[in-house]
Amino acid sequence: MGAAVRGVDGKMYGGINLYHFTGGPCAELVALGHARASGARELSTIVAVGNYGRGPVGPCGRDRQVLFDDHPNIRVILPTPEGVRSVRIRDLMPLGAVWTVEEGTQEFDPTVFEDAAATP
């Protein structure tokens, strides 16, 4: 599995899954670490692609939570019944629990899921 993440400035950062029978970080987390280590703070889009012709693959639950917590405005490219699409991470996390280092898990706040462009 490989992943790429794009910063808001258009720079791309890649990562691969270092699979081992004991587990290992997902390609998305490796790409996020690569971006962060390279100085990127705001990211716009992420995609993971499987080998052997699997194409785009949606993020696992752990990756979704990390993306939701650290990059709540990121878009995820993944397969859907309508074909490959770009979806906001918030749309993949209905009723998601917001978590921060400072305050831990927060109470559900429906405003987190409102489209910022639609908010006056």
Side-chain angles (χ1 to χ4, degrees):
M1 193 70 93
V5 62
R6 181 174 57 202
V8 295
D9 61 0
K11 291 183 180 176
M12 301 288 286
Y13 306 91
I16 60 168
N17 176 322
L18 298 175
Y19 181 76
H20 187 267
F21 75 91
T22 61
C26 296
E28 295 94 328
L29 297 182
V30 175
L32 290 172
H34 178 196
R36 184 66 149 190
S38 299
R41 296 297 180 263
E42 290 187 59
L43 305 175
S44 65
T45 312
I46 190 166
V47 63
V49 180
N51 58 351
Y52 304 114
R54 288 184 288 166
V57 177
C60 72
R62 177 178 62 176
D63 294 342
R64 290 176 190 217
Q65 189 68 53
V66 169
L67 290 166
F68 182 70
D69 290 339
D70 293 342
H71 302 285
N73 296 315
I74 200 166
R75 297 190 71 84
V76 180
I77 297 172
L78 73 165
T80 73
E82 293 81 34
V84 175
R85 295 184 47 204
S86 168
V87 179
R88 296 178 314 167
I89 189 61
R90 290 177 288 171
D91 294 335
L92 293 178
M93 297 291 289
L95 306 177
V98 175
W99 181 90
T100 65
V101 172
E102 298 81 20
E103 299 178 29
T105 302
Q106 308 299 300
E107 289 188 32
F108 175 71
D109 178 0
T111 63
V112 169
F113 298 92
E114 294 175 0
D115 189 353
T119 305

